[in-house]
Amino acid sequence: MDLVIDELKVFSGTAHPELTKAVCEYLEIPIGKSEAFKFANDNTFVRILENIRQRDVFIIQPTCAPANDNLMELLIMIDACKRASAGRITAVMPYYGYGRTDKKDQPRVPITARLVADLLTAAGADRILTVDLHAGQIQGFFNIPVDELTAMPILNRYFRAKEISDLVVVAVDIGISKRARDVAESLNAPLAIIEKRRLGNEDSTEILNVIGDVKGKTALTFDDEILTGGTVVNAAKALIDAGVTEVFCCATHPVFTKAAPGIIAKSNFQEVVVTDTVPVPAEKRNGKIIVLSVASLLGEAISRIHKGNSVGDLFHD
């Protein structure tokens, strides 16, 4: 006998309640009632405060810093919903933590992105909804459905409205050049690539070369996430040295370290445009950092999944 999946319920972890609030405002529904806190022994406790039996449950929780706490809280929330007989549980992870560790590129290292996938499935998630994974193959780590949204149309619309002449899109490394090419096509601009080399396991890189014609143009650098800011700031300096007149930056995930906003503030960028897949508190914002919301994107995807409609139609930019 098939189970009937009933009313839509959206719950928030503690990682990014502002985004959950905006998503629920888009959906015109209240945020699901729950509580999460830590006992004195540092154990996380979660309780769902309303009936969710056979409900279609979505839990919004990016696994950004503190990554381990946020991931564990998400797993416990999924388990709580499973034990409360939810009809279907979707883990909405706007930012998929540990996504960078997606392959064995050194001897005796883990593939943590796969481990996280196994943990989410074991906890009881029925599907995953995420935004701009660091590597596409992470979808294949799951044996449950994964809907990967992209923030590119949101970022593209922002820069298209600026009507920048002589624009060139610059991939900050060769690995992300395919996505950057899609951005370049959308903005009707040529593509250039920064060749770089990562220095061991440190969060730093060495710029090697600018591949492409950038002299006299306005550059838009593109990456999926910004951590320390070092990679994009070094890219901006290399582009200015190569004859670029102005440099903008866009990235989906602003995974800023404490020092990153200060580094960006002193950079050659006119603007650094990111989304709110992870929270960007006031102390991490400055005059150069622009934050665009993905709430409507997530809200529409949640609505379509709940109703059984196509999520892929969202990607027609």
Side-chain angles (χ1 to χ4, degrees):
M1 179 179 176
D2 291 336
L3 295 175
V4 177
I5 296 176
D6 204 344
E7 181 185 0
L8 170 64
K9 292 285 185 179
V10 176
F11 291 90
S12 180
T14 60
H16 202 348
E18 298 85 3
L19 180 58
T20 306
K21 181 174 182 288
V23 169
C24 287
E25 286 175 353
Y26 176 87
L27 292 167
E28 299 181 340
I29 61 171
I31 300 174
K33 296 176 183 177
S34 66
E35 63 177 352
F37 59 87
K38 283 191 174 185
F39 290 116
N41 63 1
D42 203 44
N43 289 2
T44 297
F45 176 80
V46 169
R47 184 168 60 161
I48 307 302
L49 300 175
E50 58 184 284
N51 177 28
I52 57 170
R53 186 176 295 272
Q54 297 311 317
R55 303 302 200 271
D56 195 8
V57 172
F58 293 78
I59 304 168
I60 299 179
Q61 177 86 328
T63 48
C64 49
N68 295 340
D69 284 351
N70 288 334
L71 174 60
M72 194 66 200
E73 182 182 282
L74 174 58
L75 295 172
I76 294 171
M77 288 190 78
I78 293 169
D79 185 73
C81 291
K82 194 75 173 178
R83 295 177 188 278
S85 301
R88 181 175 62 181
I89 303 167
T90 301
V92 183
M93 304 172 69
Y95 174 70
Y96 188 91
Y98 287 106
R100 286 174 175 260
T101 317
D102 61 302
K103 57 185 176 295
K104 279 196 69 174
D105 53 1
Q106 304 172 51
R108 298 173 297 282
V109 297
I111 305 179
T112 318
R114 171 59 193 265
L115 173 61
V116 170
D118 290 342
L119 290 170
L120 290 162
T121 306
D126 294 297
R127 68 187 306 126
I128 305 295
L129 177 61
T130 189
V131 182
D132 285 329
L133 290 167
H134 183 66
Q137 67 261 28
I138 293 173
Q139 294 184 56
F141 295 168
F142 289 89
N143 291 320
I144 57 176
V146 177
D147 289 305
E148 183 189 4
L149 308 178
T150 178
M152 288 305 99
I154 295 170
L155 296 167
N156 290 347
R157 281 194 294 270
Y158 179 86
F159 284 101
R160 195 179 297 124
K162 285 183 170 292
E163 298 182 346
I164 300 171
S165 59
D166 292 325
L167 181 68
V168 58
V169 174
V170 183
V172 296
D173 65 38
I174 293 172
I176 204 164
S177 59
K178 184 180 183 301
R179 290 191 198 181
R181 187 182 301 113
D182 293 338
V183 173
E185 289 178 358
S186 177
L187 295 175
N188 195 28
L191 176 69
I193 299 171
I194 297 285
E195 184 187 9
K196 70 178 185 180
R197 180 173 62 235
R198 188 160 296 281
L199 304 177
N201 289 323
E202 301 297 322
D203 289 320
S204 60
T205 57
E206 176 187 355
I207 298 296
L208 298 180
N209 195 22
V210 178
I211 304 170
D213 180 18
V214 297
K215 189 174 182 180
K217 297 180 182 293
T218 298
L220 171 60
T221 67
F222 170 76
D223 204 351
D224 62 324
E225 65 180 72
I226 300 174
L227 181 57
T228 64
T231 295
V232 291
V233 168
N234 287 341
K237 183 178 184 303
L239 289 165
I240 292 293
D241 291 344
V244 162
T245 56
E246 287 186 320
V247 191
F248 292 83
C249 173
C250 71
T252 300
H253 308 296
V255 193
F256 294 146
T257 60
K258 186 175 181 180
I263 293 171
I264 290 170
K266 297 174 183 177
S267 71
N268 293 304
F269 288 118
Q270 300 295 312
E271 292 179 350
V272 175
V273 184
V274 296
T275 76
D276 60 350
T277 54
V278 301
V280 185
E283 62 270 20
K284 287 189 175 182
R285 302 195 185 203
N286 57 47
K288 291 188 177 183
I289 296 173
I290 309 294
V291 182
L292 308 179
S293 182
V294 295
S296 61
L297 177 67
L298 288 172
E300 184 61 28
I302 288 170
S303 175
R304 289 172 183 241
I305 290 169
H306 176 63
K307 295 175 182 176
N309 295 332
S310 171
V311 174
D313 288 346
L314 280 170
F315 303 140
H316 298 305
D317 179 28

